[in-house]
Every structure is written in C-alpha cells, then in structure tokens.
Amino acid sequence: DAFVVSAGCWSPELVRPLGLKLPIYPVKGYSITVPLSEPGRAPVSTIHDDNFKVVSTRLGNRLRATGFVELADFNRDIPGARIATIKKSVQSRFPGCANLDDAETWTGFRPMTPDGPAIIGRGPRDNLFLNTGHGTFGWTLSAGSAAVIAQVIDGEEPAVQLDAFRPGRFSE
Ligand SMILES: Cc1cc2nc3c(=O)[nH]c(=O)nc-3n(C[C@H](O)[C@H](O)[C@H](O)COP(=O)(O)OP(=O)(O)OC[C@H]3O[C@@H](n4cnc5c(N)ncnc54)[C@H](O)[C@@H]3O)c2cc1C
C-alpha cells in the first residue's frame, strides 16, 4: 500500500523514472576496524582527532576509526595513503592499543543533500514516501526517521516538525 524509498545514494536513480529529481550525492569516506590487543589503551567513547580529522570509537573489543570526505562518485578504491593516515591518528592517540596490521579496511558513501537535512516525507504520488539522504548521520537518525515516516504514512501528526526535511524544498 505504501512504498518508502530508503536507498541512500542510489535513491535518485531509483525514482528518476517517476520524474522525481533527488539531489543526493555520494560522499566517500574510509574506516578501519581492528581487534584490541590492549583494551586499556583504547578509548571507551568516541574521540574526534582534529589534527588528522579522524574519529575513533570503541566497538566492544574492537576499535573503529573513520575519516575523509571525498567527492569521487561511486568509486570504491581504497588508497593505501588514506588508510595510512587513519592508522597514524590511531597510533598517535592510542599507541599500542591494537596491531594495526590486522585492521580491516572499508569504504562507503554518505548520502548527502546540498543543504544538509535528510529528505523525509510524502513523495509526488499518493503511495510514495521518502526517507533518505541522511548524509553523515544515517545511523544516528535511523530509528527516529523510521518512526516519523511511519507516522506520516499513518496520517498522524509527526513527533517532530518535518519542514526542514520536506522533499519538495529543492524545487521551491
Ligand atoms: C566513513 C563513514 C562514516 C560514517 N559514520 C557515521 C557515524 O558515525 N554516525 C552516523 O550516524 N552515520 C555515519 N555515517 C553515515 C551512514 O553510514 C549513512 O548515513 C547511512 O548508511 C545511510 O543509511 P541508508 O540506509 O539511508 O543508506 P545506505 O546505508 O547506503 O543503504 C542503502 C541501501 O539501499 C540498497 N539499494 C540501492 N538500490 C536499491 C534498489 N534498487 N533496491 C533495493 N535496495 C537498493 C543499497 O544496496 C544499500 O544497501 C558514516 C558514513 C561513512 C561513509
């Protein structure tokens, strides 16, 4: 009865046949995840290293460090130099917490809108809803956004004001 588009950076392609233009661009970042060998040397909470622009966070017995904001379309290459910078940050802030040679590497895309807020609300069809474009904060906002779009689908008053998130704002 109701379709919710939540395809991140791929949402524009998905709705293009409907004549709907969503300005969502993939903004690339990288991470490493590594088991802790000396947990006492690792952060217990999230630490933002402003020198290297790298964020390190604790995931149980592992540490995850992320960084970089790149416009590279959907290129999934993981250059060694990027990973080296992230490792340098971890090594300088939390020396000896892990064997960084054991780190898993990853790259992904933040679905960014030009003005920042996600795109949440009713689309240009009776049964079409949008919950996409969450940019840097998709994990943080996931549960709240899901609750709010469910309220919109049910015709209820959303728990938060959705003006800043309205899908039509880019063509006004
Ligand atoms: C390096 C990095 C660090 C980040 N750190 C944080 C953080 O600390 N906190 C935070 O809140 N957020 C963070 N984010 C952002 C977060 O990852 C994104 O905002 C979030 O993943 C967006 O979720 P999504 O479900 O909208 O899109 P995605 O996670 O991109 O998922 C979209 C899914 O749709 C699928 N799909 C595409 N086309 C179709 C189709 N036609 N049919 C069916 N499925 C389809 C794709 O395969 C994909 O699985 C980070 C992102 C990066 C890159």
Side-chain angles (χ1 to χ4, degrees):
D1 298 326
F3 295 86
V4 181
V5 176
S6 299
C9 299
W10 296 271
S11 304
E13 185 189 330
L14 194 60
V15 300
R16 195 171 296 124
L18 302 175
L20 178 57
K21 285 188 184 155
L22 291 180
I24 296 175
Y25 197 84
V27 176
K28 189 179 184 186
Y30 305 90
S31 77
I32 64 166
T33 305
V34 62
L36 295 170
S37 44
E38 295 264 3
R41 291 173 173 260
V44 291
S45 183
T46 300
I47 302 291
H48 191 142
D49 178 349
D50 219 25
N51 188 26
F52 291 103
K53 311 285 184 238
V54 166
V55 178
S56 292
T57 199
R58 182 74 167 259
L59 293 175
N61 288 327
R62 296 176 299 162
L63 178 135
R64 176 166 295 164
T66 67
F68 291 97
V69 171
E70 289 180 0
L71 300 178
D73 214 349
F74 286 99
N75 180 318
R76 287 194 184 271
D77 292 350
I78 304 182
R82 300 286 186 263
I83 299 302
T85 299
I86 295 175
K87 287 184 177 177
K88 215 164 161 181
S89 165
V90 173
Q91 189 55 33
S92 69
R93 301 291 167 189
F94 316 108
C97 73
N99 178 0
L100 296 179
D101 292 338
D102 294 341
E104 280 176 33
T105 60
W106 176 82
T107 186
F109 307 108
R110 305 170 184 92
M112 300 293 296
T113 60
D115 58 352
I119 300 171
I120 305 174
R122 191 176 282 279
R125 294 282 194 286
D126 281 350
N127 59 353
L128 181 67
F129 300 84
L130 303 166
N131 182 21
T132 185
H134 293 76
T136 312
F137 295 114
W139 287 107
T140 313
L141 299 173
S142 58
S145 302
V148 159
I149 197 66
Q151 289 169 328
V152 172
I153 293 169
D154 284 343
E156 295 171 7
E157 185 67 26
V160 294
Q161 243 286 354
L162 288 181
D163 210 40
F165 304 94
R166 68 192 184 286
R169 69 188 188 270
F170 303 105
S171 52
E172 289 165 358

